Amino acid sequence: IDALGDEYRAALAVMLGAGHERALLLTAGKAVGAQINERLAVGAFDDDWPATLTRLRDERARLEAELFALQGEQEDRARRIADLVRELELALAPLADYQAALIAELEIEAAGRYVIEWEYLVPCAIWRPEYTAELGGRGREAEVRWTSAGTVWQATGEDWHQVQLSFSTERPTLGAELPLLDDDRLRARDKSDEEKKTIEVTSRDEVIATTQSAPAKRESDTPPGLDDGGEARAFVVPNPVDVPSDGRPHRLIFEEWSAPAETEQLCVPEKARYVFLRSLQTNRSPMPLLAGPVALIRDGGFVGRSQIAYVAAQERFALSWGSEDGLIVLRDVERQHEEKGLRKHHHHGFAVRLYLANQSGERQRVTIVERLPVAELDAIEVSIDEKGTTPGFTRNDQGHLTWERDLGPGAEAELRLRFAVVMPQNVQWRG
């Protein structure tokens, strides 16, 4: 089909060119006829006119014959493509409609009312979690209202009418097969004399996750969005629901709760030159929150979407509610490298300048975070220039420096950070 389509488009381009040329010949023939009429009115008949008219007529006839032949070939290609498309549709269509009937033979010792259940698996049904978070209030009065829902798609062939639905992470069809093992060959070589003299170090970013922030990334064998922490979970929809077999998404709420939140205006200008509103809250559900998308509602309006990873029950997690448009952040970095001392130590100097402005019309308290490199080698020294650095910061073990600034309407603030990374001559910094 693809090859015939390419031939069809190529032949169509040839036909368009021939048609354009035929139109030019028709225009030329009319021009020659008009010229003959004008010349005959004032002079004798020119002997070259019959040959000119014959050439135009022959060329037009050749083009019309070519167009006729191309049109026939195009019709053949179109019929062939239509036949192949029908063959493809038949090849992809199911050969049979499989149906199952259950026949049960019951032996009851005593008369009475009994409940009989059958459990069976069907394909073409899947679900994924999704959440809605609504933030109300600010500061100590902030509260997050959380809604957990499951979006289900089903095309099983039977409509689910007034069913008691539960969303489970069990995987009954997951086979217990051992993985295939591959050889992992390690090769070693001796360093050259030059390599032995020089130590190369590189910069890298490393995420440090704690219980007060987003949890660390987990690896799971479940489908995307169904990380259950290694234990099968079931989330029950409280009321009976209807889910038609139409293959469309249907959102069903299975849990709602509220929790107090701690909010702050956070700015990490090295990563993004914006001030973001972040909230920290505790998962009040007795069940964990699976990884999935979160719709964010703030001040009664939709502000965007976010993502959460797996959050255990009673675990604190963070949500970002977007940037504050009225807060402006600018950042400038200068870097210098020189060799100092008799031993030619490498001296890398950094000067960071931050500028903040509050144009929101309200008083804003902003937390600004910058970071220093953390060296893994004792020979590398990282030091802060106290004179060139704005005082009032706190520093943690990961090298994060934090300032707190209270900005009134129209207020501005400037922060400076100067630090140096000093390393011996035989250490080369790539980055």
Side-chain angles (χ1 to χ4, degrees):
I1 293 175
D2 293 339
L4 286 175
D6 294 339
E7 293 179 7
Y8 188 93
R9 286 185 288 272
L12 183 61
V14 175
M15 290 181 64
L16 292 175
H20 181 66
E21 188 175 353
R22 178 178 177 274
L24 292 177
L25 290 174
L26 289 174
T27 303
K30 293 179 180 179
V32 172
Q35 186 179 9
I36 292 175
N37 292 332
E38 293 176 359
R39 293 290 299 275
L40 286 177
V42 296
F45 188 83
D46 193 341
D47 295 336
D48 293 336
W49 292 341
T52 301
L53 293 174
T54 301
R55 286 198 304 272
L56 290 174
R57 185 179 63 252
D58 293 343
E59 185 64 19
R60 189 180 69 182
R62 184 189 65 80
L63 288 174
E64 291 176 348
E66 182 179 350
L67 284 171
F68 185 76
L70 288 173
Q71 184 177 358
E73 294 176 0
Q74 290 291 77
E75 292 176 355
D76 293 339
R77 291 191 185 95
R79 284 193 296 268
R80 180 57 179 157
I81 291 175
D83 293 341
L84 289 174
V85 169
R86 282 193 294 269
E87 291 181 15
L88 180 61
E89 292 175 351
L90 292 175
L92 296 178
L95 299 178
D97 183 13
Y98 294 99
Q99 297 182 356
L102 179 63
I103 301 176
E105 182 179 343
L106 305 179
E107 296 183 3
I108 307 299
E109 295 182 356
R113 183 179 296 273
Y114 299 90
V115 177
I116 303 172
E117 293 184 358
W118 285 275
E119 294 184 1
Y120 60 96
L121 297 177
V122 292
C124 302
I126 194 172
W127 79 278
R128 288 292 181 269
E130 67 170 80
Y131 309 99
T132 301
E134 183 175 358
L135 179 64
R138 289 289 184 91
R140 297 180 179 179
E141 300 179 356
E143 182 186 51
V144 169
R145 291 179 289 275
W146 188 269
T147 301
S148 299
T151 300
V152 58
W153 298 261
Q154 73 104 345
T156 61
E158 57 179 349
D159 295 332
W160 299 345
H161 178 64
Q162 290 298 294
V163 296
Q164 187 65 53
L165 191 65
S166 63
F167 300 114
S168 174
T169 63
E170 290 187 1
R171 301 172 296 281
T173 59
L174 184 63
E177 297 180 359
L178 294 176
L180 297 177
L181 301 181
D182 295 328
D183 293 336
D184 189 4
R185 299 180 180 179
L186 302 179
R187 294 179 177 85
R189 66 174 179 83
D190 294 333
K191 287 186 176 181
S192 64
D193 295 338
E194 187 65 27
E195 290 175 332
K196 292 178 181 179
K197 295 178 182 179
T198 304
I199 300 174
E200 287 193 5
V201 296
T202 58
S203 304
R204 74 173 186 273
D205 292 334
E206 185 172 341
V207 177
I208 306 297
T210 64
T211 56
Q212 271 76 36
S213 62
K217 183 179 179 181
R218 302 170 184 262
E219 297 294 336
S220 173
D221 62 348
T222 58
L226 285 181
D227 179 8
D228 54 11
E231 181 180 349
R233 315 281 182 174
F235 305 90
V236 180
V237 179
N239 300 317
V241 295
D242 293 334
V243 182
S245 178
D246 55 6
R248 296 182 178 181
H250 299 272
R251 184 176 182 268
L252 303 173
I253 298 174
F254 58 80
E255 189 178 39
E256 294 178 307
W257 49 265
S258 299
E262 301 176 10
T263 63
E264 65 173 344
Q265 307 274 22
L266 181 63
C267 177
V268 186
E270 182 184 2
K271 293 295 184 181
R273 297 178 185 180
Y274 298 98
V275 177
F276 294 92
L277 176 63
R278 187 180 74 159
S279 68
L280 283 173
Q281 54 280 319
T282 302
N283 176 18
R284 288 292 185 87
S285 171
M287 300 289 288
L289 303 178
L290 307 185
V294 184
L296 302 175
I297 299 176
R298 177 181 167 190
D299 298 330
F302 177 78
V303 296
R305 289 187 175 272
S306 182
Q307 288 272 354
I308 62 168
Y310 177 90
V311 180
Q314 303 305 315
E315 182 180 2
R316 288 167 62 84
F317 65 101
L319 285 176
S320 177
W321 298 85
S323 61
E324 298 291 338
D325 296 334
L327 294 172
I328 298 175
V329 181
L330 298 176
R331 183 176 188 267
D332 182 62
V333 180
E334 294 182 4
R335 177 174 178 176
Q336 294 180 345
H337 172 239
E338 56 182 335
E339 295 182 355
K340 292 184 177 181
L342 297 176
R343 296 187 177 182
K344 299 296 184 180
H345 279 57
H346 296 285
H347 187 278
H348 300 270
F350 295 85
V352 181
R353 177 178 174 269
L354 301 176
Y355 169 80
L356 288 87
N358 180 14
Q359 298 181 359
S360 64
E362 300 178 356
R363 180 170 293 277
Q364 303 280 2
R365 186 172 182 82
V366 182
T367 301
I368 304 99
V369 178
E370 278 287 338
R371 63 175 179 171
L372 302 176
V374 178
E376 297 178 344
L377 300 179
D378 295 335
I380 300 177
E381 178 185 355
V382 180
S383 60
I384 299 178
D385 182 359
E386 300 289 348
K387 295 182 180 180
T389 300
T390 303
F393 61 85
T394 59
R395 180 179 180 181
N396 62 13
D397 296 337
Q398 284 78 44
H400 292 167
L401 306 182
T402 304
W403 288 267
E404 299 284 347
R405 286 294 181 269
D406 197 355
L407 302 177
E412 300 177 355
E414 184 175 333
L415 300 176
R416 293 182 180 272
L417 170 62
R418 286 183 176 272
F419 65 94
V421 180
V422 181
M423 54 189 64
Q425 185 181 15
N426 63 333
V427 177
Q428 299 293 332
W429 188 3
R430 308 296 184 188

